[in-house]
Amino acid sequence: MTGYSHYSGTYGGTSYGIYMDNSTINTGAGSITLDGSVRGAFSGGIACVLVGNTGAVYLTTTSGSVNIIGNGYDQTYVFSGGARYGTLLSGGVYGVQISSQSGAISVEGNASFNSNNNEKEGVLITSPAADRVRIISQSGAISIIGTNIREADGQYSNSIRFTAEANAANSIRIGYDGTNTYNGNITIQGNSIYQRNNQAGTGSISIQSTGTLTIQPTGNAFTYMRAASGSLSFDDDWNFGSSLSGFTFGKSSNTLDLNFAQTLTVAGPITFHAGNFTINNNLTSSTASDITINATANFNTSNTRQTISTAGGDIIIHADKDANGSGILNLDYLTLNPGAGDIVIRGETFNWVTALNTDKPYLNGSGTVTIEPSDAFFGQELNTTWFVFDQDNNGMGNLNLSKSGSTSEIIHSGSPITAAGSINIYGGNIAINQNLNTSVSGSDILVRASGDIVLSTGRTITTNAGDVILWANSDGGTSNGGVYFTEQKKSNHRRNG
């Protein structure tokens, strides 16, 4: 079905490309396409409308696809006062349901309006009560795609707007219908996304599947993430369930900040791409999958302890992802539990509370722990006393501090470190102010400094039949590079066996 409205007169009324209310289309294996377009001079214009005002709207297939498309245009500066939407799904009194068994569902809206009024959306999904808007399937992929050429005009000009008007769970339901298992993949795509209401209750916007969920910009980066109050944080109004097989936010090129408030559990990998990223709740992968947080700028925590955990995957926190030397790591009150997986922490500088061990980040798991710069070297010294290693006493595997070629100062102080594998420390000047120990036979300890290595009084470096290598002046410079034992200049390392 194709609908086209182009009013070129002087009356600024409301124009619709397609307007559907109290209607049912059921095609079985056949596909459904609604393609609406609105152009011209009007006060208000909506390219494609599905609204349940006088009766419910049902679009239903089995294996056939469902495609809802709304393309909105207008004349510059003509009757600019009214609302303009590409595609509007409004639950109204009786509801709107788009459903399939295995067919793909696509809802697309493009706001190419010239008017500078602040009420323009690519896709607007609005529901006044529980289950009034349902975009559901059992195995078909679901895509919500919006664009808007004038997102900078204000709060109500976005690629996609979600409006759950009532304080009711599942007001907007995408994916899982509440009864039948859904295993398709869901994509929410738009440069700007707006959550219109922050409700007192939870789960008014339900997006659930056993497939993957991807929330990404149409272009390289998000332009706006808006909410009724402040920036969009995906608070408890959003219900992602606990059975997603993957969750991705952003693209690798995204630079917009994200303050993520949701408690998120996924049966697969979790990936975030942001400018500044702030974690405000727990992130969990219930499988042996990676959790990756890429921040081109800073990584931040809140002032209550949060946990990032996987059942054997890696945990990767990457500040200064673009390696331009400006990414701060703020890791206080954070617990990392990768199980048998590895921990990788990258950034440029460090800034968090270290007064008590309960303030510090807990680095757990039996895999390798790596703390290294995103570029060639850290922008300041690194001190191991800022961390609590192996807080759960399950035994840390290998430990890597910085990376080969780094000239940053490294200080090992605070508590002794024992690893069930190799220990590698790279830096400019390196101070060993506490004991180092490897417990597994044959595991080596390498301390490699371009400058000096200083071993403090009474401290030991111990392996179990592994090598101990203290390599100062590793870059062959002429200005410094010695190994100093501060207790009578006597070697204080041991190699057992």
Side-chain angles (χ1 to χ4, degrees):
M1 180 186 298
T2 300
Y4 177 54
S5 174
H6 188 159
Y7 184 76
S8 57
T10 59
Y11 172 69
T14 300
S15 294
Y16 304 100
I18 293 175
Y19 187 98
M20 182 175 289
D21 184 6
N22 191 19
S23 302
T24 298
I25 302 176
N26 190 333
T27 62
S31 296
I32 299 173
T33 297
L34 303 182
D35 188 348
S37 180
V38 62
R39 295 175 181 266
F42 45 76
S43 176
I46 309 173
C48 188
V49 183
L50 277 65
V51 57
N53 279 344
T54 63
V57 174
Y58 295 99
L59 303 182
T60 306
T61 73
T62 54
S63 58
S65 63
V66 182
N67 303 285
I68 312 298
I69 306 166
N71 293 303
Y73 309 86
D74 61 5
Q75 293 178 213
T76 307
Y77 305 126
V78 176
F79 304 113
S80 61
R84 289 152 161 77
Y85 309 126
T87 293
L88 169 62
L89 305 182
S90 177
V93 178
Y94 296 97
V96 171
Q97 177 171 297
I98 303 168
S99 64
S100 76
Q101 291 182 15
S102 60
I105 298 174
S106 175
V107 177
E108 178 181 343
N110 302 295
S112 300
F113 300 108
N114 292 300
S115 170
N116 62 359
N117 77 311
N118 184 20
E119 185 61 45
K120 301 181 298 293
E121 304 289 359
V123 174
L124 170 56
I125 301 175
T126 179
S127 173
D131 279 306
R132 289 290 173 84
V133 176
R134 293 159 56 90
I135 306 170
I136 55 177
S137 181
Q138 293 181 37
S139 62
I142 295 176
S143 300
I144 313 294
I145 302 171
T147 66
N148 194 322
I149 65 171
R150 297 186 63 106
E151 296 162 322
D153 283 345
Q155 185 85 344
Y156 307 114
S157 296
N158 304 278
S159 299
I160 302 171
R161 183 199 298 184
F162 294 96
T163 301
E165 300 173 31
N167 183 22
N170 307 311
S171 291
I172 299 171
R173 192 190 288 271
I174 300 173
Y176 174 56
D177 66 5
T179 301
N180 301 295
T181 301
Y182 171 58
N183 60 18
N185 298 329
I186 301 173
T187 300
I188 309 295
Q189 180 173 298
N191 286 346
S192 54
I193 300 174
Y194 177 36
Q195 175 189 338
R196 178 63 182 87
N197 296 317
N198 296 106
Q199 300 293 357
T202 62
S204 60
I205 304 170
S206 173
I207 305 177
Q208 297 187 50
S209 177
T210 59
T212 63
L213 171 60
T214 300
I215 302 172
Q216 65 182 17
T218 304
N220 291 328
F222 291 112
T223 51
Y224 299 96
M225 300 294 287
R226 292 164 166 152
S229 176
S231 298
L232 177 60
S233 64
F234 297 96
D235 61 10
D236 61 7
D237 285 303
W238 299 76
N239 180 5
F240 298 131
S242 60
S243 58
L244 288 168
S245 61
F247 178 93
T248 300
F249 176 88
K251 296 179 179 177
S252 60
S253 51
N254 181 45
T255 56
L256 192 71
D257 300 345
L258 177 64
N259 190 332
F260 194 75
Q262 178 78 213
T263 298
L264 182 64
T265 298
V266 174
I270 299 172
T271 304
F272 291 95
H273 303 285
N276 294 302
F277 180 90
T278 301
I279 181 173
N280 286 284
N281 229 313
N282 298 335
L283 304 177
T284 303
S285 174
S286 58
T287 63
S289 301
D290 296 346
I291 298 178
T292 304
I293 301 173
N294 293 317
T296 57
N298 307 326
F299 176 93
N300 301 297
T301 57
S302 59
N303 292 326
T304 56
R305 184 159 293 276
Q306 314 297 341
T307 298
I308 302 176
S309 63
T310 81
D314 298 340
I315 297 175
I316 302 165
I317 295 175
H318 198 167
D320 190 29
K321 180 65 169 59
D322 56 4
N324 70 354
S326 62
I328 301 171
L329 286 163
N330 178 356
L331 303 176
D332 50 8
Y333 312 111
L334 183 64
T335 299
L336 304 183
N337 285 328
D342 300 333
I343 294 173
V344 178
I345 298 172
R346 298 189 181 103
E348 181 70 13
T349 56
F350 314 92
N351 183 18
W352 66 82
V353 178
T354 60
L356 302 171
N357 276 355
T358 52
D359 302 324
K360 301 174 185 179
Y362 299 163
L363 309 185
N364 294 324
S366 59
T368 297
V369 175
T370 299
I371 305 170
E372 64 183 12
S374 298
D375 52 15
F377 49 85
F378 292 120
Q380 65 170 98
E381 79 280 359
L382 169 66
N383 197 322
T384 59
T385 194
W386 301 337
F387 305 86
V388 178
F389 295 92
D390 194 26
Q391 178 265 341
D392 60 0
N393 295 314
N394 284 328
M396 177 174 61
N398 306 306
L399 174 64
N400 300 311
L401 299 179
S402 198
K403 60 185 177 183
S404 180
S406 173
T407 57
S408 307
E409 182 180 5
I410 306 297
I411 303 168
H412 169 41
S413 62
S415 299
I417 289 178
T418 296
S422 64
I423 297 176
N424 300 290
I425 304 175
Y426 304 92
N429 295 320
I430 299 176
I432 307 299
N433 299 330
Q434 257 298 354
N435 301 338
L436 290 174
N437 177 63
T438 61
S439 59
V440 173
S441 178
S443 295
D444 302 334
I445 296 178
L446 168 64
V447 181
R448 179 173 173 171
S450 60
D452 298 330
I453 297 173
V454 178
L455 183 65
S456 294
T457 300
R459 302 310 177 193
T460 62
I461 301 177
T462 306
T463 71
N464 183 5
D467 296 332
V468 175
I469 303 169
L470 305 181
W471 184 359
N473 193 30
S474 61
D475 61 354
T478 58
S479 59
N480 60 2
V483 178
Y484 300 96
F485 303 96
T486 57
E487 183 179 328
Q488 299 175 354
K489 295 185 178 180
K490 179 181 178 182
S491 175
N492 204 28
H493 67 271
R494 296 199 302 267
R495 182 178 185 272
N496 293 338

